[in-house]
Amino acid sequence: MPAISTDRRHLLSLESLSADEILLLLEVASSFTEAAAGRVTPSTKLDGKIIANLFFEDSTRTRSSFTVAATRLSAQTLDLVGSTSSVSKGESLIDTARTIEAMGVDLLVVRTREAGAPAQIAREVECSVINAGDGSHEHPTQGLLDLLTIQQRFGNDLTGKTIAIVGDVLNSRVARSAIHGLTKLGVNVHLVGPTNLVPKTFEQIATGPGSVEVSYDLDAVLPSLDAIMMLRVQFERQRGNAITSDYRSQYALTVDRARKLPPDAIVMHPGPMNRGLEIDSEVADDPDRSVIFQQVSNGVAVRMAVLTRCLGGS
Ligand code: NCD
């Protein structure tokens, strides 16, 4: 059984986890896949626990996924979303977090526009904190569900596999968490997109044995890939980094481009998708290659594993 080192109360990033910790979480998540899908009797591991979703930025899948995961573990959930919380009256995130904690809540799932805010909250409260996406920084549970999905296709040892993460890497917390998780597990990562959205400096951020290489030519890397992760063009985060009119012709995963992938390569996307922009519908819905809805299902299992880890239910 791999060793555990960091504070298990929180999950704030994948950068701060060791490869062994990531592998253990994936192993637990894998054991939860049947329960996540509701095919076995719900677990009572977190009976009596209360989990608050503090979402100060829009979300469909992440918030509902945490709610489903908590429900499958018999915990209760409470939703505080942007405009209905007192943060819109000017209360600070920390005060809101402390207020919710004072009611006896056991765990805060936090999504914010500000990078680093969940870590700051974690320093100020006694209860557990999970980062559900902080600005362009990290989205660790998304990174874990991406890894679990790749493992399900290629086996648990991902050493030497190759993936491309394509598009708006600069603004993507999904990409940052994926880069940390993948390279820690020995996967080689190509970051592909226009120069303004894929800075060369990203080659330095790997924290594991896998390599990170920036490339501006998607067609050149396609034949070498085991997986391709398309990113949403994040219009709401692009201050002066807007995409140009040739974005689609150069970086979209079109039907023609998908034909250049090896036969067993998989297609991933964290959602929500801009269909017809970064990815063609035919590719997103290709039953042989696309694992996009499998990623969503795996999100529940991964969040069950993370909730259990943080609340000491394992
Ligand atoms: C992502 C997010 O919000 O960071 N979505 C998600 O959680 N699945 C990606 C995105 O918004 O593009």
Side-chain angles (χ1 to χ4, degrees):
M1 181 72 55
I4 291 296
S5 60
T6 48
D7 183 353
R8 293 168 51 117
R9 220 164 19 120
H10 310 301
L11 179 66
L12 301 170
S13 68
L14 288 195
E15 183 176 11
S16 59
L17 295 192
S18 66
D20 280 350
E21 285 168 307
I22 291 174
L23 287 169
L24 181 58
L25 273 168
L26 294 173
E27 196 181 309
V28 176
S30 185
S31 75
F32 275 134
T33 49
E34 289 296 296
R39 284 192 286 265
V40 295
T41 321
S43 156
T44 52
K45 274 183 196 295
L46 299 187
D47 193 14
K49 302 286 186 194
I50 301 181
I51 291 161
N53 285 322
L54 263 62
F55 276 61
F56 304 112
E57 218 187 42
D58 294 343
S59 165
T60 306
R61 64 211 81 219
T62 304
R63 184 157 59 92
S64 9
S65 180
F66 270 106
T67 301
V68 174
T71 307
R72 297 279 190 225
L73 292 164
S74 306
Q76 307 285 308
T77 58
L78 170 76
D79 273 348
L80 266 104
V81 290
S83 59
T84 59
S85 77
S86 281
V87 170
S88 63
K89 295 185 191 161
E91 184 173 66
S92 76
L93 290 178
I94 303 281
D95 277 340
T96 304
R98 280 209 189 112
T99 303
I100 301 301
E101 181 189 35
M103 294 173 195
V105 163
D106 300 283
L107 185 145
L108 306 174
V109 180
V110 181
R111 170 168 286 197
T112 62
R113 274 186 200 93
E114 297 80 29
Q120 206 185 338
I121 291 171
R123 285 192 291 272
E124 300 288 335
V125 296
E126 293 296 317
C127 67
S128 293
V129 177
I130 296 175
N131 177 6
D134 58 335
S136 304
H137 174 228
E138 276 225 37
H139 190 353
T141 55
Q142 177 72 40
L144 290 170
L145 75 86
D146 290 334
L147 291 171
L148 181 62
T149 307
I150 302 171
Q151 278 189 331
Q152 285 171 346
R153 180 62 71 107
F154 297 108
N156 289 355
D157 182 2
L158 299 180
T159 317
K161 295 287 173 208
T162 303
I163 186 170
I165 303 179
V166 183
D168 188 358
V169 175
L170 179 69
N171 295 296
S172 177
R173 54 198 177 205
V174 172
R176 278 183 188 70
S177 286
I179 294 166
H180 289 300
L182 288 162
T183 55
K184 280 173 200 274
L185 299 194
V187 178
N188 300 318
V189 180
H190 290 284
L191 302 177
V192 191
T195 49
N196 62 330
L197 295 178
V198 187
K200 199 79 178 147
T201 49
F202 268 68
E203 290 188 343
Q204 311 310 322
I205 75 170
T207 42
S211 62
V212 179
E213 212 175 299
V214 165
S215 150
Y216 302 107
D217 184 351
L218 179 55
D219 292 295
V221 304
L222 289 172
S224 67
L225 301 179
D226 297 296
I228 182 165
M229 181 190 294
M230 303 307 296
L231 298 174
R232 181 174 68 90
V233 177
Q234 304 196 34
F235 293 104
E236 77 281 14
R237 293 193 209 284
Q238 295 188 348
R239 287 168 245 98
N241 284 316
I243 55 166
T244 53
S245 54
D246 62 352
Y247 184 86
R248 213 181 121 71
S249 71
Q250 298 216 38
Y251 297 111
L253 190 55
T254 58
V255 173
D256 282 345
R257 282 219 169 87
R259 287 201 191 100
K260 296 184 187 165
L261 290 164
D264 61 346
I266 56 173
V267 171
M268 310 173 74
H269 192 303
M273 289 182 270
N274 294 308
R275 286 174 182 261
L277 176 53
E278 70 263 3
I279 189 164
D280 280 2
S281 270
E282 293 88 325
V283 181
D285 298 329
D286 178 343
D288 298 322
R289 280 197 191 288
S290 172
V291 292
I292 294 171
F293 286 96
Q294 191 181 328
Q295 288 174 269
V296 177
S297 306
N298 284 334
V300 178
V302 154
R303 289 171 181 121
M304 288 175 77
V306 171
L307 290 171
T308 310
R309 168 193 193 260
C310 292
L311 291 173
S314 60

